[in-house]
Coordinates of all heavy atoms in Angstrom, one line a residue:
T23 N 6.6 8.9 2.9 CA 5.3 8.4 2.8 C 5.0 8.1 1.3 O 4.5 7.0 1.0 CB 4.2 9.4 3.3 OG1 4.4 9.5 4.7 CG2 2.8 8.8 3.1
L24 N 5.3 9.0 0.5 CA 5.0 8.9 -1.0 C 5.9 7.7 -1.6 O 5.4 6.9 -2.3 CB 5.3 10.2 -1.7 CG 5.0 10.2 -3.2 CD1 3.5 10.0 -3.4 CD2 5.3 11.5 -3.8
L26 N 7.2 5.1 0.0 CA 6.6 3.9 0.5 C 5.4 3.4 -0.2 O 5.2 2.3 -0.6 CB 6.4 4.0 2.0 CG 5.7 2.7 2.7 CD1 6.7 1.5 2.6 CD2 5.4 3.0 4.1
S27 N 4.5 4.4 -0.4 CA 3.2 4.1 -1.1 C 3.4 3.6 -2.6 O 2.8 2.7 -3.0 CB 2.3 5.3 -1.1 OG 2.0 5.7 0.2
V28 N 4.3 4.3 -3.3 CA 4.6 4.0 -4.7 C 5.2 2.6 -4.8 O 4.9 1.8 -5.6 CB 5.5 5.1 -5.3 CG1 6.0 4.6 -6.7 CG2 4.7 6.4 -5.5
V30 N 5.1 0.1 -2.5 CA 4.1 -0.9 -2.2 C 3.1 -1.2 -3.3 O 2.9 -2.3 -3.7 CB 3.4 -0.5 -0.9 CG1 2.1 -1.4 -0.7 CG2 4.3 -0.6 0.3
M31 N 2.6 -0.1 -3.9 CA 1.6 -0.3 -5.0 C 2.2 -1.0 -6.2 O 1.6 -1.8 -6.8 CB 1.1 1.1 -5.4 CG -0.2 1.1 -6.2 SD -1.5 0.4 -5.3 CE -2.8 0.5 -6.5
A34 N 2.9 -4.7 -5.2 CA 1.6 -5.4 -5.0 C 0.8 -5.6 -6.3 O 0.2 -6.6 -6.6 CB 0.7 -4.6 -4.1
R64 N -7.3 -9.4 3.9 CA -8.4 -8.4 3.8 C -9.2 -8.2 5.1 O -9.7 -7.1 5.4 CB -9.4 -8.8 2.7 CG -8.9 -8.5 1.3 CD -9.9 -8.8 0.2 NE -11.0 -7.8 0.2 CZ -12.1 -7.8 -0.4 NH1 -12.4 -8.9 -1.2 NH2 -13.0 -6.9 -0.4
P67 N -7.0 -6.3 10.6 CA -6.7 -4.8 10.6 C -5.3 -4.5 10.2 O -4.4 -5.3 10.6 CB -7.0 -4.5 12.1 CG -7.8 -5.6 12.6 CD -7.4 -6.8 11.9
A68 N -5.1 -3.5 9.4 CA -3.8 -3.1 9.0 C -2.8 -2.9 10.1 O -1.6 -3.3 10.1 CB -3.9 -1.8 8.1
L69 N -3.3 -2.3 11.2 CA -2.5 -2.0 12.4 C -2.0 -3.4 13.0 O -0.8 -3.5 13.3 CB -3.3 -1.3 13.4 CG -2.5 -0.9 14.7 CD1 -1.3 0.0 14.4 CD2 -3.4 -0.2 15.7
L72 N 0.8 -4.8 10.7 CA 2.0 -4.0 10.9 C 2.8 -4.5 12.2 O 4.0 -4.7 12.2 CB 1.7 -2.5 11.0 CG 1.6 -1.8 9.7 CD1 0.9 -0.4 9.9 CD2 2.9 -1.6 9.0
A97 N 7.2 -2.0 7.3 CA 5.9 -1.4 6.8 C 5.7 -1.8 5.3 O 4.6 -2.0 4.9 CB 6.1 0.2 6.9
A100 N 4.4 -5.4 5.3 CA 3.0 -5.5 5.8 C 2.0 -4.9 4.9 O 0.9 -5.5 4.6 CB 2.9 -4.8 7.2
L101 N 2.3 -3.7 4.4 CA 1.3 -3.0 3.5 C 1.2 -3.7 2.1 O 0.2 -3.7 1.5 CB 1.7 -1.6 3.3 CG 1.6 -0.7 4.6 CD1 2.1 0.7 4.4 CD2 0.1 -0.6 5.1
T102 N 2.3 -4.3 1.7 CA 2.3 -5.0 0.4 C 1.4 -6.3 0.5 O 0.6 -6.6 -0.4 CB 3.7 -5.4 0.0 OG1 4.5 -4.3 -0.2 CG2 3.7 -6.2 -1.3
I104 N -1.1 -6.7 2.4 CA -2.5 -6.2 2.5 C -3.0 -5.8 1.1 O -4.1 -6.1 0.6 CB -2.7 -5.0 3.5 CG1 -2.4 -5.5 4.9 CG2 -4.1 -4.4 3.4 CD1 -2.3 -4.4 5.9
Q105 N -2.1 -5.0 0.4 CA -2.5 -4.5 -0.9 C -2.7 -5.7 -1.9 O -3.6 -5.6 -2.8 CB -1.5 -3.5 -1.5 CG -1.6 -2.1 -1.0 CD -3.0 -1.6 -1.2 OE1 -3.7 -1.3 -0.2 NE2 -3.4 -1.4 -2.4
I106 N -1.8 -6.7 -1.8 CA -2.0 -7.8 -2.7 C -3.3 -8.5 -2.6 O -4.0 -8.8 -3.5 CB -0.8 -8.8 -2.5 CG1 0.5 -8.3 -3.0 CG2 -1.1 -10.2 -3.2 CD1 1.7 -9.2 -2.6
Y108 N -6.2 -7.1 -1.5 CA -7.2 -6.2 -2.1 C -7.1 -6.2 -3.6 O -8.2 -6.3 -4.3 CB -7.1 -4.8 -1.6 CG -7.8 -4.7 -0.2 CD1 -7.0 -4.8 1.0 CD2 -9.1 -4.4 -0.1 CE1 -7.6 -4.6 2.2 CE2 -9.7 -4.3 1.2 CZ -8.9 -4.4 2.3 OH -9.5 -4.3 3.5
L109 N -5.9 -6.0 -4.2 CA -5.8 -5.9 -5.6 C -6.1 -7.3 -6.3 O -6.6 -7.3 -7.5 CB -4.4 -5.5 -6.0 CG -4.0 -4.1 -5.6 CD1 -2.6 -3.7 -6.1 CD2 -5.0 -3.0 -6.1
I112 N -9.8 -7.2 -6.8 CA -10.2 -6.2 -7.8 C -9.8 -6.7 -9.2 O -10.7 -6.6 -10.1 CB -9.5 -4.9 -7.5 CG1 -10.0 -4.3 -6.2 CG2 -9.6 -3.9 -8.6 CD1 -9.3 -3.1 -5.7
L152 N -8.8 0.7 -13.7 CA -8.0 1.9 -13.4 C -8.6 2.8 -12.3 O -7.9 3.2 -11.4 CB -7.8 2.7 -14.7 CG -6.8 3.9 -14.5 CD1 -5.5 3.5 -14.0 CD2 -6.7 4.6 -15.8
P153 N -9.9 3.1 -12.3 CA -10.4 4.0 -11.2 C -10.3 3.3 -9.9 O -10.0 4.0 -8.9 CB -11.9 4.1 -11.6 CG -12.0 3.9 -13.1 CD -10.9 2.9 -13.4
S154 N -10.5 2.0 -9.8 CA -10.3 1.3 -8.5 C -8.9 1.3 -8.0 O -8.6 1.4 -6.8 CB -10.8 -0.2 -8.7 OG -12.2 -0.2 -9.0
L155 N -7.9 1.2 -9.0 CA -6.5 1.3 -8.6 C -6.1 2.6 -8.0 O -5.4 2.7 -7.1 CB -5.7 0.9 -9.8 CG -5.7 -0.5 -10.4 CD1 -4.8 -0.6 -11.6 CD2 -5.4 -1.5 -9.3
V156 N -6.7 3.7 -8.6 CA -6.4 5.0 -8.1 C -7.0 5.2 -6.7 O -6.3 5.7 -5.8 CB -7.0 6.1 -9.0 CG1 -6.9 7.5 -8.4 CG2 -6.3 6.1 -10.4
N157 N -8.2 4.7 -6.5 CA -8.8 4.7 -5.1 C -8.0 3.9 -4.1 O -7.8 4.3 -3.0 CB -10.2 4.2 -5.2 CG -11.2 5.2 -5.8 OD1 -10.9 6.4 -5.8 ND2 -12.3 4.6 -6.3
E158 N -7.5 2.8 -4.5 CA -6.6 2.0 -3.7 C -5.3 2.7 -3.3 O -4.9 2.6 -2.2 CB -6.3 0.6 -4.3 CG -7.4 -0.4 -4.2 CD -7.7 -0.8 -2.7 OE1 -6.8 -1.0 -2.0 OE2 -8.9 -0.7 -2.4
F159 N -4.8 3.4 -4.3 CA -3.5 4.1 -4.0 C -3.8 5.2 -3.0 O -2.9 5.5 -2.1 CB -2.9 4.6 -5.3 CG -1.6 5.3 -5.1 CD1 -0.5 4.6 -4.8 CD2 -1.5 6.7 -5.2 CE1 0.8 5.2 -4.6 CE2 -0.2 7.3 -5.0 CZ 0.9 6.6 -4.7
I160 N -4.9 5.9 -3.1 CA -5.2 7.0 -2.2 C -5.4 6.4 -0.8 O -4.9 7.0 0.2 CB -6.5 7.7 -2.6 CG1 -6.2 8.5 -3.9 CG2 -7.0 8.7 -1.6 CD1 -7.4 9.1 -4.6
S161 N -6.1 5.3 -0.7 CA -6.3 4.6 0.6 C -5.0 4.2 1.2 O -4.7 4.3 2.4 CB -7.2 3.4 0.4 OG -8.5 3.8 0.0
L162 N -4.1 3.7 0.3 CA -2.7 3.3 0.8 C -2.0 4.4 1.4 O -1.3 4.3 2.4 CB -2.0 2.6 -0.4 CG -0.5 2.2 -0.1 CD1 -0.5 1.2 1.0 CD2 0.1 1.7 -1.4
L163 N -2.0 5.6 0.7 CA -1.3 6.8 1.2 C -1.8 7.1 2.6 O -1.0 7.5 3.5 CB -1.6 8.0 0.3 CG -0.7 8.1 -1.0 CD1 -1.3 9.2 -1.9 CD2 0.7 8.4 -0.6
K164 N -3.1 7.0 2.9 CA -3.6 7.3 4.2 C -3.2 6.2 5.2 O -3.0 6.5 6.4 CB -5.1 7.4 4.1 CG -5.6 8.6 3.2 CD -7.1 8.6 3.1 CE -7.5 9.8 2.2 NZ -9.0 9.8 2.0
A165 N -3.2 5.0 4.7 CA -2.9 3.9 5.6 C -1.4 3.9 6.1 O -1.1 3.3 7.2 CB -3.1 2.5 4.9
T166 N -0.5 4.5 5.4 CA 0.9 4.6 5.8 C 1.0 5.3 7.1 O 2.0 5.1 7.8 CB 1.7 5.3 4.7 OG1 1.2 6.6 4.5 CG2 1.8 4.5 3.5
S167 N 0.1 6.1 7.5 CA 0.2 6.8 8.8 C 0.1 5.9 10.0 O 0.6 6.2 11.1 CB -1.0 7.9 8.9 OG -2.3 7.2 8.9
L168 N -0.4 4.7 9.7 CA -0.4 3.7 10.8 C 1.0 3.2 11.2 O 1.2 2.7 12.2 CB -1.3 2.4 10.4 CG -2.8 2.7 10.2 CD1 -3.4 1.4 9.6 CD2 -3.4 3.1 11.5
A169 N 1.9 3.4 10.2 CA 3.3 2.9 10.5 C 4.0 3.7 11.5 O 5.1 3.4 12.0 CB 4.1 3.0 9.2
E176 N 7.6 8.6 9.0 CA 6.8 9.2 7.9 C 6.1 10.5 8.5 O 6.5 11.0 9.5 CB 5.7 8.2 7.4 CG 5.0 7.4 8.4 CD 3.9 8.3 9.1 OE1 3.0 8.8 8.4 OE2 3.9 8.4 10.3
M178 N 3.3 11.5 9.8 CA 2.6 11.5 11.1 C 3.6 11.4 12.3 O 3.5 12.0 13.3 CB 1.5 10.5 11.2 CG 0.2 10.9 10.6 SD -0.4 12.5 11.2 CE -0.6 12.2 12.9
T202 N -0.2 17.3 3.7 CA -0.8 16.1 3.1 C -1.6 16.4 1.9 O -1.5 15.8 0.9 CB -1.8 15.4 4.2 OG1 -1.0 15.1 5.3 CG2 -2.4 14.2 3.6
F206 N -0.2 15.1 -1.6 CA -1.0 13.9 -2.0 C -2.3 14.2 -2.7 O -3.2 13.5 -2.6 CB -1.2 13.0 -0.8 CG 0.1 12.7 0.0 CD1 0.0 12.6 1.3 CD2 1.3 12.5 -0.7 CE1 1.2 12.4 2.1 CE2 2.4 12.3 0.0 CZ 2.4 12.2 1.4
R207 N -2.4 15.4 -3.3 CA -3.7 15.8 -3.9 C -3.8 15.0 -5.2 O -2.9 15.0 -6.1 CB -3.7 17.3 -4.2 CG -5.0 17.8 -4.7 CD -5.0 19.3 -4.9 NE -3.9 19.7 -5.7 CZ -3.2 20.8 -5.5 NH1 -3.5 21.6 -4.6 NH2 -2.2 21.1 -6.3
F208 N -5.0 14.4 -5.4 CA -5.3 13.6 -6.6 C -6.6 14.2 -7.3 O -7.5 14.6 -6.6 CB -5.4 12.1 -6.4 CG -4.1 11.5 -6.0 CD1 -3.7 11.4 -4.7 CD2 -3.3 11.0 -7.1 CE1 -2.5 10.8 -4.4 CE2 -2.1 10.4 -6.8 CZ -1.7 10.3 -5.4

Side-chain angles (χ1 to χ4, degrees):
T23 297
L24 187 60
L26 176 62
S27 300
V28 170
V30 167
M31 194 67 179
R64 283 186 73 189
L69 182 59
L72 278 163
L101 293 174
T102 299
I104 295 169
Q105 277 308 114
I106 290 173
Y108 279 95
L109 294 183
I112 292 172
L152 185 58
S154 297
L155 292 180
V156 173
N157 286 336
E158 278 299 310
F159 184 70
I160 293 171
S161 298
L162 174 61
L163 277 170
K164 296 176 181 178
T166 57
S167 63
L168 295 173
E176 47 76 57
M178 279 306 301
T202 301
F206 309 141
R207 184 176 58 213
F208 289 91

